[in-house]
């Protein structure tokens, strides 16, 4: 192997930082200036009692750029670049309160094969499955959603998504007019189409989710409209919203206004301990009940009189 070839095969390295909320923007800009190949930010307190949820739903404050303590992971082409970035950052005034957690090699992997191995077909009902494009559908599948992991939330692996899809399958045929509010990948809208809906609108605050929904709908030969939340107009036979409890409470009057008389509202992203507060938030408009539960998450539904 030539020297040039060996250099081209350098192992990438990650620089891992712990950064307080006030310094996130400055650190991110500095990493960009230092030619980081990528930068990811996550809650350093995730999976602990100090974990924070950042929202970005209509009627709520814009999401912050980071958490009170964020873990920032920056990818560099080699170890020298990662360690030089750590040294340069540590000398900056804005780095006060930040901490270098480590510099680590990224093992060489067949990333495509590794990613694909993590996503197997997901059973919603014995005859309704979510199947990545690189898998053959199970023999018993009668309805299939083809969906690959991507930028938008909703691949069918989370209990909240599965419960929504199970409910839709159990109600088939669903009413013709459906609103998927906070559509993510569009999976719930596509599931409704697979079970009878024909006039489907999917909305999300994230333009990437809107585009993902359109692409996934095309891949499943489903006709729907996708757009930002202000595209949601009128009443629908079924309104689906798989978000989180806090934005769902804020959105209560809006979501209820989109349900036609006799129509259904289906809410997910709710922990079992949050059931009472959701009931109270929706009580002026609809009487919510728990329709399903899985792994500590619940599905709440209501039918408009």
């Amino acid at each position: 192997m030539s020297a040039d070839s060996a250099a081209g095969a350098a192992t990438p390295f990650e620089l891992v930082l712990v950064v307080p909320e006030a310094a996130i923007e400055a650190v991110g800009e500095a990493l960009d200036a230092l030619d980081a190949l990528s930068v990811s930010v996550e809650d350093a307190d995730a999976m602990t009692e100090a974990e924070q949820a950042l929202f970005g739903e209509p009627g709520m404050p814009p999401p912050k750029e980071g958490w009170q303590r964020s873990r920032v992971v920056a990818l560099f082409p080699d170890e020298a670049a990662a360690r030089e970035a750590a040294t340069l950052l540590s000398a900056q005034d804005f780095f006060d309160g930040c901490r270098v957690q480590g510099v680590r090699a990224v093992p060489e992997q067949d990333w495509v094969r590794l990613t694909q191995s993590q996503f197997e077909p997901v059973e919603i009902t014995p005859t309704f499955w979510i199947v990545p494009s690189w898998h053959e559908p199970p023999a018993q599948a009668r309805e299939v959603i083809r969906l690959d992991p991507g930028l938008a939330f909703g691949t069918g692996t989370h209990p909240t998504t599965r419960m929504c899809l199970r409910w839709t399958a159990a109600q088939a045929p669903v009413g013709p007019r459906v609103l998927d509010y906070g559509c993510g990948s569009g999976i719930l809208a596509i599931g409704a189409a697979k079970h009878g809906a024909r006039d489907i609108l999917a909305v999300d605050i994230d333009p990437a989710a809107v585009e993902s929904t359109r692409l996934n709908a095309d891949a499943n030969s489903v006709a729907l409209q996708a757009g930002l939340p202000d595209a949601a107009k009128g009443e629908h036979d079924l309104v689906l919203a798989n978000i989180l409890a806090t934005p769902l409470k804020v959105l209560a009057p809006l979501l209820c206004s989109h349900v036609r008389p006799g129509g259904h509202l289906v809410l997910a992203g709710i922990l079992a301990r949050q059931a009472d507060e959701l009931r109270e938030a929706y009580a002026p408009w609809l009487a919510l009940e728990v329709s399903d539960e899985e792994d500590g998450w619940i599905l709440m539904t209501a039918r408009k009189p």
Side-chain angles (χ1 to χ4, degrees):
M1 179 183 292
S2 69
D4 287 343
S5 297
T11 300
F13 272 71
E14 291 177 334
L15 168 62
V16 185
L17 310 169
V18 176
V19 181
E21 182 182 323
I24 280 290
E25 183 175 0
V27 169
E29 290 176 353
L31 288 168
D32 184 53
L34 291 167
D35 295 326
L37 300 176
S38 68
V39 179
S40 64
V41 183
E42 61 188 36
D43 189 355
D45 297 312
M47 308 304 291
T48 74
E49 292 184 357
E51 181 176 7
Q52 287 180 280
L54 298 184
F55 305 114
E57 297 300 327
M60 300 193 71
K64 299 176 182 179
E65 295 200 20
W67 290 263
Q68 289 181 356
R69 287 192 338 125
S70 294
R71 180 177 292 105
V72 178
V73 181
L75 181 66
F76 288 90
D78 53 42
E79 183 177 8
R83 293 196 179 280
E84 182 182 16
T87 300
L88 291 171
L89 284 170
S90 299
Q92 307 305 313
D93 292 341
F94 61 74
F95 205 70
D96 285 348
C98 302
R99 176 165 58 90
V100 176
Q101 195 171 58
V103 174
R104 62 195 185 196
V106 179
E108 185 175 349
Q109 303 246 24
D110 182 341
W111 292 107
V112 172
R113 187 180 299 276
L114 178 63
T115 299
Q116 290 183 351
S117 70
Q118 294 172 345
F119 290 89
E120 298 288 333
V122 176
E123 178 181 350
I124 304 303
T125 74
T127 60
F128 180 28
W129 290 70
I130 302 163
V131 184
S133 62
W134 53 84
H135 278 282
E136 288 297 318
Q140 65 270 38
R142 297 292 175 265
E143 292 289 350
V144 170
I145 297 178
R146 286 289 193 177
L147 195 70
D148 294 343
L151 295 176
F153 173 80
T155 58
T157 58
H158 196 275
T160 59
T161 307
R162 291 198 298 271
M163 287 189 293
C164 288
L165 291 170
R166 273 202 302 267
W167 186 95
T168 301
Q171 298 297 316
V174 298
R177 197 154 193 255
V178 172
L179 171 63
D180 180 0
Y181 200 97
C183 57
S185 66
I187 189 171
L188 301 186
I190 295 168
K194 297 281 186 179
H195 290 91
R198 292 293 174 266
D199 182 2
I200 305 165
L201 175 61
V203 300
D204 202 288
I205 61 170
D206 185 354
V210 173
E211 180 61 20
S212 178
T213 293
R214 290 173 179 152
L215 293 172
N216 288 329
D218 289 344
N220 284 276
S221 302
V222 164
L224 56 75
Q225 293 186 334
L228 299 176
D230 59 7
K233 308 289 183 185
E235 296 180 336
H236 302 260
D237 300 285
L238 172 60
V239 175
L240 298 154
N242 181 14
I243 312 175
L244 283 172
T246 298
L248 284 175
K249 288 189 290 185
V250 173
L251 291 167
L254 175 67
L255 293 176
C256 292
S257 73
H258 285 304
V259 184
R260 72 161 181 81
H264 292 274
L265 176 66
V266 175
L267 306 179
I270 307 163
L271 294 168
R273 58 180 169 78
Q274 297 169 322
D276 288 343
E277 58 189 275
L278 265 293
R279 285 194 188 95
E280 183 179 349
Y282 280 77
W285 302 277
L286 292 172
L288 286 176
E289 62 181 28
V290 177
S291 297
D292 200 354
E293 182 169 0
E294 183 178 342
D295 293 342
W297 297 91
I298 57 174
L299 186 77
M300 301 194 77
T301 64
R303 187 163 190 174
K304 196 168 193 176

